[in-house]
Coordinates of all heavy atoms in Angstrom, one line a residue:
V1 N 224.4 -38.0 133.7 CA 224.8 -36.6 133.4 C 226.3 -36.5 133.7 O 226.8 -36.9 134.7 CB 224.0 -35.7 134.2 CG1 224.3 -34.2 133.9 CG2 222.5 -35.8 133.9
D2 N 227.0 -35.8 132.8 CA 228.4 -35.6 132.9 C 228.7 -34.1 133.0 O 228.1 -33.3 132.3 CB 229.0 -36.2 131.6 CG 230.6 -36.2 131.6 OD1 231.1 -35.2 132.2 OD2 231.1 -37.1 131.1
T3 N 229.6 -33.8 133.9 CA 229.9 -32.4 134.1 C 230.8 -31.8 133.0 O 231.1 -30.6 132.9 CB 230.7 -32.2 135.4 OG1 231.9 -32.9 135.4 CG2 229.8 -32.6 136.6
M4 N 231.3 -32.7 132.1 CA 232.2 -32.3 131.0 C 231.4 -31.9 129.7 O 232.0 -31.6 128.7 CB 233.2 -33.3 130.7 CG 234.1 -33.7 131.9 SD 235.1 -32.3 132.3 CE 236.3 -32.3 131.0
G5 N 230.1 -32.1 129.7 CA 229.3 -31.8 128.5 C 227.9 -31.4 128.8 O 227.5 -31.4 130.0
T6 N 227.1 -31.2 127.8 CA 225.7 -30.8 127.9 C 224.8 -32.0 127.7 O 223.6 -31.8 127.9 CB 225.4 -29.7 127.0 OG1 225.6 -30.1 125.7 CG2 226.2 -28.4 127.4
G7 N 225.3 -33.1 127.2 CA 224.4 -34.2 126.8 C 224.2 -35.2 128.0 O 224.9 -35.1 129.0
I8 N 223.2 -36.0 127.8 CA 222.9 -37.1 128.8 C 223.0 -38.4 128.1 O 222.5 -38.6 127.0 CB 221.5 -36.9 129.4 CG1 221.4 -35.6 130.1 CG2 221.1 -38.1 130.2 CD1 219.9 -35.3 130.6
F9 N 223.8 -39.4 128.7 CA 223.8 -40.7 128.1 C 223.5 -41.7 129.3 O 223.8 -41.5 130.4 CB 225.0 -41.0 127.3 CG 226.3 -41.0 128.1 CD1 226.8 -42.2 128.7 CD2 227.0 -39.9 128.2 CE1 228.0 -42.2 129.4 CE2 228.3 -39.8 128.9 CZ 228.7 -41.0 129.5
H10 N 222.9 -42.8 128.9 CA 222.4 -43.8 129.8 C 223.4 -45.0 129.7 O 223.7 -45.4 128.6 CB 221.0 -44.2 129.5 CG 220.4 -45.2 130.4 ND1 219.9 -44.9 131.6 CD2 220.3 -46.6 130.2 CE1 219.4 -46.0 132.1 NE2 219.7 -47.0 131.3
M11 N 223.8 -45.5 130.9 CA 224.7 -46.7 130.9 C 224.0 -47.7 131.8 O 223.4 -47.4 132.8 CB 226.1 -46.3 131.4 CG 226.8 -45.3 130.5 SD 228.4 -44.9 131.1 CE 229.3 -46.2 130.3
E12 N 224.2 -49.0 131.4 CA 223.7 -50.1 132.1 C 224.9 -51.1 132.2 O 225.7 -51.2 131.3 CB 222.5 -50.8 131.5 CG 221.3 -49.9 131.5 CD 220.1 -50.6 130.9 OE1 220.2 -51.8 130.6 OE2 219.1 -49.9 130.7
G13 N 224.8 -52.0 133.2 CA 225.9 -53.0 133.3 C 225.7 -54.0 134.4 O 224.6 -54.2 134.9
T14 N 226.8 -54.6 134.7 CA 226.8 -55.7 135.7 C 228.0 -55.6 136.7 O 228.9 -54.9 136.4 CB 226.9 -57.1 135.0 OG1 228.1 -57.1 134.2 CG2 225.7 -57.3 134.1
A15 N 227.9 -56.3 137.7 CA 229.0 -56.4 138.7 C 229.5 -57.8 138.7 O 228.8 -58.8 138.5 CB 228.5 -56.0 140.1
S16 N 230.8 -57.9 139.1 CA 231.4 -59.3 139.2 C 230.8 -59.9 140.4 O 230.1 -59.3 141.3 CB 232.9 -59.1 139.4 OG 233.2 -58.4 140.5
A17 N 231.0 -61.2 140.5 CA 230.4 -62.0 141.6 C 230.8 -61.5 143.0 O 230.0 -61.5 143.9 CB 230.8 -63.5 141.5
D18 N 232.0 -61.0 143.1 CA 232.5 -60.5 144.4 C 232.1 -59.0 144.6 O 232.4 -58.4 145.6 CB 234.0 -60.7 144.5 CG 234.9 -59.9 143.5 OD1 234.3 -59.1 142.7 OD2 236.1 -60.1 143.6
G19 N 231.5 -58.4 143.6 CA 231.1 -57.0 143.7 C 232.2 -56.0 143.6 O 232.0 -54.8 143.8
K20 N 233.4 -56.4 143.2 CA 234.5 -55.5 143.2 C 234.8 -54.9 141.8 O 235.7 -54.0 141.7 CB 235.8 -56.2 143.8 CG 235.7 -56.5 145.3 CD 236.9 -57.0 145.8 CE 236.8 -57.2 147.3 NZ 238.1 -57.5 147.9
T21 N 234.2 -55.3 140.8 CA 234.3 -54.8 139.5 C 232.9 -54.5 138.9 O 232.1 -55.5 138.8 CB 235.1 -55.7 138.5 OG1 236.4 -55.9 139.1 CG2 235.3 -55.1 137.2
I22 N 232.7 -53.3 138.5 CA 231.4 -53.0 137.9 C 231.7 -52.5 136.5 O 232.5 -51.6 136.3 CB 230.7 -51.8 138.7 CG1 230.4 -52.3 140.1 CG2 229.4 -51.4 138.0 CD1 230.1 -51.2 141.1
T23 N 231.0 -53.1 135.5 CA 231.2 -52.7 134.1 C 229.9 -52.2 133.5 O 228.9 -52.8 133.6 CB 231.7 -53.9 133.3 OG1 232.9 -54.5 133.8 CG2 232.0 -53.6 131.8
L24 N 230.0 -51.0 133.0 CA 228.8 -50.3 132.4 C 229.0 -50.0 130.9 O 230.2 -49.8 130.5 CB 228.6 -49.0 133.1 CG 228.4 -49.0 134.6 CD1 228.5 -47.6 135.2 CD2 227.1 -49.7 135.0
K25 N 227.9 -50.1 130.1 CA 228.0 -49.8 128.7 C 226.9 -48.9 128.3 O 225.8 -48.9 128.9 CB 227.9 -51.1 127.8 CG 229.1 -52.0 128.0 CD 229.0 -53.2 127.1 CE 230.3 -54.1 127.3 NZ 230.2 -55.3 126.5
G26 N 227.1 -48.0 127.4 CA 226.1 -47.1 126.9 C 226.6 -46.3 125.7 O 227.6 -46.6 125.1
Q27 N 225.7 -45.3 125.3 CA 226.1 -44.5 124.1 C 225.4 -43.2 124.2 O 224.4 -43.0 124.9 CB 225.7 -45.3 122.8 CG 224.2 -45.6 122.6 CD 224.0 -46.4 121.4 OE1 224.9 -46.9 120.8 NE2 222.7 -46.4 121.0
H28 N 225.8 -42.3 123.4 CA 225.1 -41.0 123.2 C 225.3 -40.4 121.8 O 226.2 -40.8 121.1 CB 225.6 -40.0 124.3 CG 227.0 -39.4 124.0 ND1 228.2 -40.0 124.3 CD2 227.4 -38.2 123.4 CE1 229.2 -39.3 123.9 NE2 228.7 -38.2 123.3
A29 N 224.4 -39.5 121.5 CA 224.5 -38.9 120.1 C 225.7 -38.0 120.0 O 226.1 -37.3 121.0 CB 223.2 -38.1 119.9
E30 N 226.3 -38.0 118.9 CA 227.5 -37.1 118.6 C 227.0 -35.9 117.8 O 226.1 -36.0 117.0 CB 228.6 -37.8 117.9 CG 229.3 -38.9 118.7 CD 230.6 -39.2 118.1 OE1 230.6 -40.0 117.2 OE2 231.6 -38.7 118.6
L31 N 227.7 -34.8 117.9 CA 227.5 -33.7 117.1 C 227.7 -34.1 115.6 O 228.7 -34.7 115.3 CB 228.4 -32.5 117.5 CG 228.2 -31.9 118.8 CD1 229.2 -30.9 119.1 CD2 226.8 -31.3 118.9
G32 N 226.8 -33.7 114.8 CA 227.0 -34.0 113.3 C 226.4 -35.4 113.0 O 226.5 -35.8 111.9
G33 N 225.8 -36.0 114.0 CA 225.2 -37.3 113.7 C 226.0 -38.5 114.2 O 227.2 -38.4 114.5
G34 N 225.4 -39.6 114.2 CA 226.0 -40.8 114.7 C 226.0 -41.0 116.2 O 225.5 -40.2 116.9
Q35 N 226.6 -42.1 116.7 CA 226.6 -42.4 118.1 C 228.0 -42.6 118.6 O 228.9 -43.1 117.8 CB 225.8 -43.7 118.4 CG 224.3 -43.6 118.1 CD 223.6 -42.7 119.1 OE1 223.8 -42.9 120.3 NE2 222.7 -41.9 118.6
M36 N 228.3 -42.2 119.8 CA 229.6 -42.6 120.5 C 229.2 -43.6 121.5 O 228.3 -43.4 122.3 CB 230.3 -41.4 121.1 CG 231.6 -41.8 121.8 SD 232.4 -40.3 122.4 CE 233.9 -41.1 123.0
T37 N 229.9 -44.8 121.5 CA 229.7 -45.8 122.5 C 230.7 -45.6 123.6 O 231.8 -45.1 123.4 CB 229.9 -47.2 121.9 OG1 231.2 -47.3 121.4 CG2 228.9 -47.5 120.8
H38 N 230.3 -46.0 124.8 CA 231.1 -45.9 126.0 C 231.1 -47.2 126.8 O 230.2 -48.0 126.8 CB 230.5 -44.8 127.0 CG 230.5 -43.5 126.5 ND1 231.6 -42.7 126.6 CD2 229.6 -42.7 125.9 CE1 231.3 -41.5 126.0 NE2 230.1 -41.5 125.6
R39 N 232.2 -47.4 127.5 CA 232.3 -48.5 128.4 C 233.1 -48.0 129.6 O 234.1 -47.4 129.5 CB 233.1 -49.7 127.8 CG 233.2 -50.9 128.7 CD 233.7 -52.1 127.9 NE 235.1 -51.9 127.3 CZ 236.2 -52.2 127.9 NH1 236.3 -52.8 129.1 NH2 237.4 -51.9 127.2
A40 N 232.6 -48.2 130.8 CA 233.2 -47.8 132.0 C 233.5 -49.0 132.9 O 232.6 -49.9 133.0 CB 232.3 -46.8 132.8
V41 N 234.6 -49.0 133.5 CA 235.0 -50.1 134.4 C 235.4 -49.5 135.7 O 236.4 -48.7 135.8 CB 236.1 -51.0 133.8 CG1 236.4 -52.2 134.8 CG2 235.7 -51.5 132.5
W42 N 234.7 -49.9 136.8 CA 235.0 -49.4 138.2 C 235.5 -50.6 139.0 O 234.9 -51.6 139.1 CB 233.7 -48.9 138.8 CG 234.0 -48.0 140.0 CD1 234.2 -48.5 141.3 CD2 234.0 -46.6 140.1 NE1 234.4 -47.5 142.1 CE2 234.2 -46.3 141.4 CE3 233.8 -45.6 139.2 CZ2 234.3 -45.0 141.9 CZ3 233.8 -44.3 139.6 CH2 234.1 -44.0 141.0
K43 N 236.8 -50.5 139.5 CA 237.4 -51.6 140.2 C 237.7 -51.1 141.6 O 238.3 -50.1 141.9 CB 238.7 -52.0 139.6 CG 238.5 -52.7 138.2 CD 239.8 -53.1 137.6 CE 239.6 -53.6 136.2 NZ 240.8 -54.0 135.6
I44 N 237.2 -51.9 142.6 CA 237.6 -51.7 144.0 C 238.7 -52.6 144.3 O 238.6 -53.8 144.4 CB 236.3 -52.0 144.9 CG1 235.2 -51.1 144.5 CG2 236.7 -51.8 146.4 CD1 233.8 -51.5 145.1
T45 N 239.9 -51.9 144.5 CA 241.1 -52.7 144.7 C 241.2 -53.2 146.2 O 241.5 -54.3 146.4 CB 242.4 -51.8 144.4 OG1 242.2 -51.3 143.0 CG2 243.6 -52.6 144.5
D46 N 241.0 -52.2 147.1 CA 241.0 -52.5 148.5 C 240.2 -51.5 149.2 O 239.5 -50.7 148.6 CB 242.4 -52.6 149.0 CG 243.3 -51.4 148.8 OD1 242.7 -50.3 148.9 OD2 244.4 -51.6 148.4
N47 N 240.2 -51.4 150.5 CA 239.4 -50.5 151.3 C 239.9 -49.0 151.1 O 239.2 -48.1 151.5 CB 239.5 -50.8 152.8 CG 238.7 -52.0 153.1 OD1 237.7 -52.4 152.4 ND2 239.0 -52.7 154.2
N48 N 241.0 -48.8 150.5 CA 241.6 -47.5 150.3 C 241.8 -47.0 148.9 O 242.1 -45.9 148.6 CB 242.9 -47.4 151.0 CG 242.8 -47.6 152.5 OD1 241.9 -47.0 153.1 ND2 243.5 -48.5 153.1
T49 N 241.5 -48.0 147.9 CA 241.8 -47.7 146.5 C 240.7 -48.1 145.6 O 240.3 -49.3 145.7 CB 243.2 -48.3 146.1 OG1 244.2 -48.0 147.1 CG2 243.6 -47.8 144.7
Q50 N 240.3 -47.3 144.7 CA 239.4 -47.6 143.6 C 239.9 -47.0 142.3 O 240.6 -46.0 142.3 CB 238.0 -47.0 143.9 CG 237.4 -47.6 145.1 CD 236.0 -47.0 145.4 OE1 235.4 -46.3 144.5 NE2 235.5 -47.2 146.6
T51 N 239.6 -47.7 141.2 CA 240.1 -47.2 139.9 C 238.8 -47.1 138.9 O 238.0 -48.0 138.9 CB 241.1 -48.2 139.2 OG1 242.2 -48.3 140.1 CG2 241.6 -47.7 137.9
F52 N 238.8 -46.0 138.2 CA 237.7 -45.9 137.2 C 238.3 -45.6 135.8 O 239.1 -44.7 135.7 CB 236.8 -44.6 137.6 CG 235.8 -44.3 136.6 CD1 234.6 -45.1 136.6 CD2 235.9 -43.3 135.7 CE1 233.6 -44.8 135.7 CE2 234.9 -43.0 134.8 CZ 233.7 -43.8 134.8
D53 N 238.0 -46.5 134.9 CA 238.5 -46.4 133.5 C 237.4 -46.2 132.6 O 236.3 -46.9 132.7 CB 239.3 -47.7 133.1 CG 240.5 -47.9 133.9 OD1 241.3 -47.0 134.2 OD2 240.8 -49.1 134.3
M54 N 237.5 -45.3 131.6 CA 236.4 -45.1 130.7 C 237.0 -45.3 129.3 O 238.1 -44.8 129.0 CB 235.9 -43.6 130.8 CG 234.8 -43.3 130.0 SD 233.3 -43.9 130.9 CE 232.1 -42.9 130.1
Y55 N 236.2 -45.9 128.4 CA 236.6 -46.2 127.0 C 235.5 -45.7 126.1 O 234.3 -45.6 126.5 CB 236.7 -47.7 126.8 CG 237.7 -48.4 127.8 CD1 237.4 -48.8 129.0 CD2 239.0 -48.6 127.4 CE1 238.3 -49.4 129.9 CE2 240.0 -49.2 128.2 CZ 239.6 -49.6 129.5 OH 240.5 -50.2 130.3
G56 N 235.9 -45.3 124.9 CA 234.9 -44.8 124.0 C 235.3 -45.1 122.5 O 236.5 -45.2 122.2
A57 N 234.3 -45.1 121.6 CA 234.5 -45.2 120.2 C 233.6 -44.3 119.5 O 232.4 -44.2 119.7 CB 234.3 -46.6 119.8
H58 N 234.2 -43.5 118.6 CA 233.4 -42.5 117.8 C 232.9 -43.2 116.5 O 233.7 -43.9 115.8 CB 234.3 -41.3 117.4 CG 234.6 -40.4 118.5 ND1 233.7 -39.5 119.0 CD2 235.8 -40.3 119.2 CE1 234.3 -38.9 120.0 NE2 235.5 -39.3 120.2
H59 N 231.7 -43.1 116.2 CA 231.1 -43.5 114.9 C 231.5 -45.0 114.6 O 231.8 -45.3 113.4 CB 231.5 -42.6 113.7 CG 231.1 -41.2 113.9 ND1 229.8 -40.8 113.8 CD2 231.9 -40.1 114.2 CE1 229.8 -39.5 114.0 NE2 231.0 -39.0 114.2
G60 N 231.5 -45.9 115.6 CA 231.8 -47.3 115.4 C 233.2 -47.6 115.1 O 233.6 -48.7 114.7
G61 N 234.1 -46.6 115.4 CA 235.6 -46.9 115.2 C 236.2 -47.7 116.3 O 235.5 -48.3 117.2
K62 N 237.5 -47.7 116.4 CA 238.2 -48.5 117.4 C 238.0 -47.8 118.8 O 238.2 -46.6 119.0 CB 239.7 -48.5 117.0 CG 240.5 -49.4 118.0 CD 242.0 -49.4 117.5 CE 242.8 -50.2 118.5 NZ 244.2 -50.2 118.2
E63 N 237.7 -48.7 119.8 CA 237.6 -48.2 121.1 C 238.9 -47.8 121.7 O 240.0 -48.4 121.4 CB 237.0 -49.4 122.0 CG 236.8 -49.0 123.4 CD 236.3 -50.1 124.3 OE1 237.2 -50.9 124.7 OE2 235.1 -50.2 124.5
M64 N 238.9 -46.6 122.4 CA 240.1 -46.1 123.0 C 239.8 -45.7 124.5 O 238.7 -45.3 124.8 CB 240.7 -45.0 122.2 CG 239.8 -43.8 122.0 SD 240.6 -42.7 120.9 CE 239.2 -41.6 120.6
K65 N 240.9 -45.8 125.3 CA 240.7 -45.4 126.7 C 241.0 -43.9 126.8 O 242.0 -43.4 126.2 CB 241.8 -46.2 127.5 CG 241.7 -45.9 129.0 CD 242.8 -46.8 129.6 CE 242.7 -46.8 131.1 NZ 243.8 -47.7 131.7
F66 N 240.1 -43.2 127.4 CA 240.4 -41.7 127.5 C 240.6 -41.2 128.9 O 241.5 -40.5 129.1 CB 239.4 -40.9 126.7 CG 237.9 -41.2 126.9 CD1 237.2 -40.5 127.7 CD2 237.4 -42.1 126.0 CE1 235.8 -40.7 127.8 CE2 236.0 -42.3 126.1 CZ 235.2 -41.6 127.0
P67 N 239.9 -41.6 130.0 CA 240.4 -41.2 131.3 C 240.7 -42.5 132.1 O 240.0 -43.5 131.9 CB 239.4 -40.3 131.9 CG 238.1 -40.9 131.4 CD 238.4 -41.5 130.1
E68 N 241.6 -42.4 133.0 CA 241.8 -43.3 134.1 C 241.9 -42.5 135.4 O 242.7 -41.6 135.4 CB 243.0 -44.2 133.9 CG 243.2 -45.2 135.1 CD 244.4 -46.1 135.0 OE1 245.5 -45.6 135.4 OE2 244.2 -47.2 134.5
I69 N 241.1 -42.8 136.3 CA 241.1 -42.1 137.6 C 241.4 -43.1 138.7 O 240.7 -44.1 138.8 CB 239.8 -41.3 137.9 CG1 239.4 -40.4 136.7 CG2 239.8 -40.6 139.2 CD1 238.0 -39.9 136.7
V70 N 242.4 -42.8 139.5 CA 242.7 -43.6 140.7 C 242.3 -42.8 141.9 O 242.8 -41.8 142.2 CB 244.1 -44.1 140.7 CG1 244.4 -44.9 142.0 CG2 244.5 -44.8 139.5
Y71 N 241.4 -43.4 142.7 CA 240.9 -42.8 144.0 C 241.7 -43.4 145.1 O 241.7 -44.7 145.2 CB 239.4 -43.0 144.2 CG 238.6 -42.3 143.1 CD1 238.2 -43.0 142.0 CD2 238.2 -41.0 143.2 CE1 237.4 -42.4 141.0 CE2 237.4 -40.4 142.3 CZ 237.0 -41.1 141.1 OH 236.2 -40.5 140.2
T72 N 242.3 -42.6 146.0 CA 243.0 -43.2 147.1 C 242.5 -42.4 148.4 O 242.5 -41.2 148.4 CB 244.5 -43.0 147.0 OG1 244.9 -43.6 145.7 CG2 245.3 -43.6 148.1
R73 N 242.1 -43.2 149.4 CA 241.6 -42.6 150.6 C 242.8 -41.8 151.3 O 243.9 -42.3 151.4 CB 241.1 -43.7 151.6 CG 240.5 -43.1 152.8 CD 240.1 -44.2 153.8 NE 239.4 -45.3 153.3 CZ 238.1 -45.4 153.3 NH1 237.3 -44.5 153.8 NH2 237.5 -46.5 152.7
K74 N 242.5 -40.6 151.7 CA 243.4 -39.8 152.4 C 243.6 -40.3 153.8 O 242.6 -40.6 154.5 CB 243.0 -38.3 152.4 CG 244.0 -37.4 153.0 CD 243.5 -36.0 152.9 CE 244.5 -35.0 153.5 NZ 244.0 -33.6 153.4
S75 N 244.8 -40.5 154.2 CA 245.1 -41.1 155.5 C 245.2 -40.0 156.6 O 245.3 -38.9 156.4 CB 246.3 -41.9 155.5 OG 247.4 -41.4 154.9

């Protein structure tokens, strides 16, 4: 469930051997028909920093990156 919309999409994925990169893939229905595909990559850089990148493609088009969020622990 995403706070930016009213739809629900399901994502599944895998983690790297060291557990520091998690990659998820999924899709959801678009208004007017068709599907939007998603790919999310969560990277744990160190004990204080994590990065979340989200990619998507409308109607089978070219994938593009739309948000990148960098989380930094407040000291």
Side-chain angles (χ1 to χ4, degrees):
V1 178
D2 185 323
T3 60
M4 299 296 288
T6 59
I8 297 173
F9 62 93
H10 181 81
M11 298 181 84
E12 294 184 7
T14 59
S16 61
D18 64 4
K20 292 186 175 188
T21 302
I22 300 165
T23 303
L24 304 168
K25 293 182 180 181
Q27 62 184 16
H28 75 277
E30 289 198 282
L31 295 174
Q35 297 285 316
M36 180 173 185
T37 58
H38 294 277
R39 181 169 60 95
V41 181
W42 194 280
K43 294 179 184 178
I44 300 169
T45 306
D46 55 41
N47 288 336
N48 298 310
T49 311
Q50 298 179 12
T51 303
F52 178 78
D53 295 317
M54 188 83 159
Y55 303 84
H58 292 282
H59 302 289
K62 184 178 177 182
E63 181 182 81
M64 57 187 170
K65 184 178 186 178
F66 47 95
E68 177 179 85
I69 304 168
V70 178
Y71 298 92
T72 304
R73 185 186 311 265
K74 185 176 180 179
S75 44

